[in-house]
């Protein structure tokens, strides 16, 4: 098995949080490894001694490393990467830079993340753009042939989620990319749940724009996001707002910066940006394909254990299933189970309907408990999760008997 070559003892030694909690909420935000903690705290101490601007000047190489590391991660040039304060910001800036007008059509996936979908609804109301959902197949995946049949000269943007926040499926974004390129339609991919979890190559995906976050499977700090912009399309995109780093002042007028940098602003959380660069380098050092192998093995083993557990309903779909596992329970609410797990020192998360508006509404789901292991989780931790969960659900059954 791929993950047998991974040094789990080292991974856990470099993750101090595992000594305090069983963290199975990596699809929300992972435990940060020691190299990231160390570089960020060292930088903040430097800021406190010499001044924030001065610390940034002294740390110019570390500050710029995020672009270099992300370019290596995504297989692109550093000029095609913008570092921002969140994926939501990156996605909004990317989407709003595509020239759209009344009557244009935008096609999205049914599993679009809630904030993306709500932003598109807002755009549709403001501009009179038509927002349409691509069909799905029996596995819940985007039906690529069905999507292609929707295309005409009015389609001005295709936006797809690679991996949803509430499901194990992995959408065929590279196949969609080939269709988008063939028709010359701008193509935006939300890779927040996939980047760091599985290998991402923007050339293979065929996307024009891609957004990601640092806090999830990349194990970086919160408040970090990034935007990839294909060099050949960047000059056609006009950001809704610009900052000092996004433009060149020409004594009375200005010119947008080339490439993805037109989306950046001058002010930033320097410690977080430095930490993001170190987190990406750390992930690359382990090898994304290798860690993804372990994540999938852990998740597959956990699903197998959960299938036979009384009172548990699994909701995962897809042909290739990643590290996200979503559950509901007979006789217990998802929040109730999550809180009981938390009291036992196990972190999970509850996905709300508004986090995946279209899909959860279509499937009649209001909440789901999400369990998302990472490569640093141990088999013993997953066994403990199952044992505690069984005890929680057994309590439900005992209450019914006594009632």
């Amino acid at each position: 098995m791929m993950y047998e070559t991974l040094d789990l003892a080292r991974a856990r030694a470099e993750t101090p949080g595992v000594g305090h909690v069983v963290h199975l909420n990596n699809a929300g935000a992972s435990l940060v490894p020691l190299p990231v903690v160390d570089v960020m705290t060292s930088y903040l101490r430097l800021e406190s001694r010499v001044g924030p601007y001065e610390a940034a000047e002294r740390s110019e190489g570390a500050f710029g490393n995020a672009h270099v590391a992300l370019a290596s991660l995504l297989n692109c040039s550093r000029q095609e990467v913008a570092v921002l304060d969140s994926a939501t910001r990156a996605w909004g800036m990317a989407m709003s830079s595509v020239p759209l007008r009344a009557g244009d059509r935008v096609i999205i996936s049914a599993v679009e993340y809630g904030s993306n979908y709500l932003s598109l609804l807002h755009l549709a109301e403001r501009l009179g753009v038509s927002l349409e959902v691509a069909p799905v197949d029996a596995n819940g995946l985007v039906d690529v042939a069905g999507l292609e049949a929707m295309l005409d000269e009015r389609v001005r943007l295709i936006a797809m989620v690679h991996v949803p926040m509430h499901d194990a499926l992995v959408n065929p974004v590279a196949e969609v990319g080939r269709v988008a390129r063939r028709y010359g339609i701008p193509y935006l991919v939300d890779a927040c749940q996939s980047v760091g979890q599985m290998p991402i190559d923007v050339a293979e995906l065929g996307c024009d724009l891609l957004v990601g976050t640092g806090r999830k499977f990349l194990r970086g700090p919160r408040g970090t996001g990034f935007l990839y912009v294909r060099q050949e399309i960047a000059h056609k995109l006009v950001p809704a707002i610009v900052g000092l780093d996004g433009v060149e002042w020409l004594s009375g007028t200005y010119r947008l910066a080339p490439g993805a940098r037109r989306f950046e602003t001058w002010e930033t959380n320097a410690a977080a940006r430095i930490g993001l660069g170190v987190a990406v380098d750390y992930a690359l050092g382990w090898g994304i394909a290798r860690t993804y192998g372990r994540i999938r093995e852990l998740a597959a083993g956990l699903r197998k254990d959960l299938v036979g557990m009384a009172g548990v309903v699994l909701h995962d779909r897809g042909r290739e299933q990643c590290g996200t596992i979503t559950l509901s329970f007979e006789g217990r609410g998802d929040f109730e189970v999550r809180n009981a797990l938390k009291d036992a020192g196990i972190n999970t998360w509850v996905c709300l309907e508004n986090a995946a508006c279209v899909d959860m509404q279509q499937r009649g789901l209001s909440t789901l408990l999400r369990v998302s292991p990472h490569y640093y989780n141990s088999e013993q931790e997953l066994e403990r999760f199952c044992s505690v969960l069984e005890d929680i659900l057994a309590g439900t059954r005992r209450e019914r008997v006594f009632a």
Side-chain angles (χ1 to χ4, degrees):
M1 295 181 187
M2 292 180 67
Y3 73 75
E4 290 179 343
T5 62
L6 188 145
D7 187 349
L8 180 60
R10 178 196 149 200
R12 292 178 66 79
E14 294 176 351
T15 307
V18 300
H20 305 277
V21 69
V22 176
H23 190 72
L24 300 176
N25 186 22
N26 295 288
S30 290
L31 295 178
V32 178
L34 275 175
V36 176
V37 174
D38 290 344
V39 75
M40 291 180 66
T41 53
S42 295
Y43 180 81
L44 289 172
R45 290 191 187 99
L46 179 63
E47 273 196 352
S48 71
R49 289 198 307 270
V50 306
Y53 286 9
E54 294 74 14
E57 288 178 332
R58 293 190 186 191
S59 308
E60 185 176 349
F63 189 76
N65 181 58
H67 291 91
V68 177
L70 286 166
S72 179
L73 179 74
L74 302 174
N75 187 30
C76 64
S77 73
R78 59 183 299 181
Q79 288 73 32
E80 294 177 303
V81 176
V83 179
L84 300 160
D85 60 1
S86 72
T88 297
R89 180 90 65 194
W91 192 93
M93 293 186 74
M95 181 271 296
S96 62
S97 71
V98 177
L100 297 170
R101 61 176 184 265
D104 288 344
R105 301 170 62 211
V106 175
I107 297 178
I108 64 171
S109 64
V111 294
E112 205 67 35
Y113 180 55
S115 66
N116 299 358
Y117 181 66
L118 293 170
S119 293
L120 284 165
L121 280 180
H122 184 59
L123 182 76
E125 290 181 3
R126 274 196 309 118
L127 299 183
V129 172
S130 174
L131 183 59
E132 302 171 33
V133 179
V136 298
D137 65 16
N139 294 299
L141 304 176
V142 171
D143 182 332
V144 180
L147 182 151
E148 184 170 7
M150 299 173 68
L151 302 182
D152 61 20
E153 68 282 354
R154 291 172 50 225
V155 176
R156 301 295 184 181
L157 177 67
I158 299 172
M160 291 284 126
V161 166
H162 193 185
V163 171
M165 59 85 69
H166 69 300
D167 205 322
L169 66 83
V170 181
N171 263 324
V173 290
E175 295 177 40
V176 175
R178 288 191 285 273
V179 171
R181 191 65 57 85
R182 190 159 62 244
Y183 284 81
I185 300 170
Y187 179 36
L188 167 60
V189 172
D190 179 343
C192 286
Q193 294 291 352
S194 57
V195 71
Q197 179 176 187
M198 60 190 66
I200 300 292
D201 184 327
V202 291
E204 289 184 4
L205 298 188
C207 56
D208 299 297
L209 301 151
L210 179 142
V211 301
T213 183
R215 74 178 190 274
K216 297 182 187 290
F217 287 94
L218 280 174
R219 304 184 63 193
R222 294 190 69 177
T224 55
F226 57 89
L227 170 63
Y228 158 78
V229 183
R230 187 166 65 90
Q231 191 68 32
E232 290 77 9
I233 200 175
H235 69 281
K236 300 178 182 178
L237 304 176
V238 180
I241 59 171
V242 295
L244 290 179
D245 277 8
V247 299
E248 179 185 0
W249 174 244
L250 300 173
S251 299
T253 185
Y254 69 92
R255 177 170 56 208
L256 290 172
R261 296 301 176 87
R262 63 184 54 198
F263 292 95
E264 290 192 349
T265 58
W266 186 79
E267 180 55 27
T268 187
N269 184 330
R273 181 175 290 202
I274 291 170
L276 174 63
V278 171
V280 175
D281 283 336
Y282 187 76
L284 291 170
W286 283 101
I288 303 295
R290 182 169 59 152
T291 53
Y292 186 41
R294 177 166 173 80
I295 291 169
R296 290 191 67 192
E297 291 279 1
L298 289 173
L302 185 52
R303 285 191 191 95
K304 185 177 178 180
D305 291 336
L306 290 168
V307 164
M309 192 177 296
V312 173
V313 181
L314 268 73
H315 295 273
D316 295 338
R317 301 171 298 171
R319 290 190 293 269
E320 173 192 353
Q321 293 189 328
C322 65
T324 303
I325 302 167
T326 49
L327 320 164
S328 61
F329 308 95
E330 297 172 357
R332 290 277 187 181
D334 297 331
F335 278 105
E336 183 182 3
V337 173
R338 187 242 170 180
N339 290 337
L341 288 166
K342 185 179 178 183
D343 289 343
I346 301 171
N347 291 346
T348 58
W349 195 249
V350 174
C351 301
L352 302 177
E353 182 184 17
N354 67 359
C357 309
V358 175
D359 184 65
M360 288 184 71
Q361 185 176 49
Q362 288 177 344
R363 295 164 68 191
L365 300 169
S366 58
T367 62
L368 289 169
L369 184 84
R370 184 181 63 196
V371 183
S372 47
H374 213 327
Y375 68 88
Y376 60 77
N377 288 120
S378 68
E379 287 78 358
Q380 292 75 23
E381 286 180 320
L382 299 189
E383 290 170 5
R384 182 178 171 214
F385 164 77
C386 288
S387 177
V388 172
L389 181 59
E390 281 187 311
D391 288 344
I392 294 167
L393 299 179
T396 303
R397 292 191 291 275
R398 284 195 296 271
E399 287 168 11
R400 287 177 177 173
V401 170
F402 294 137

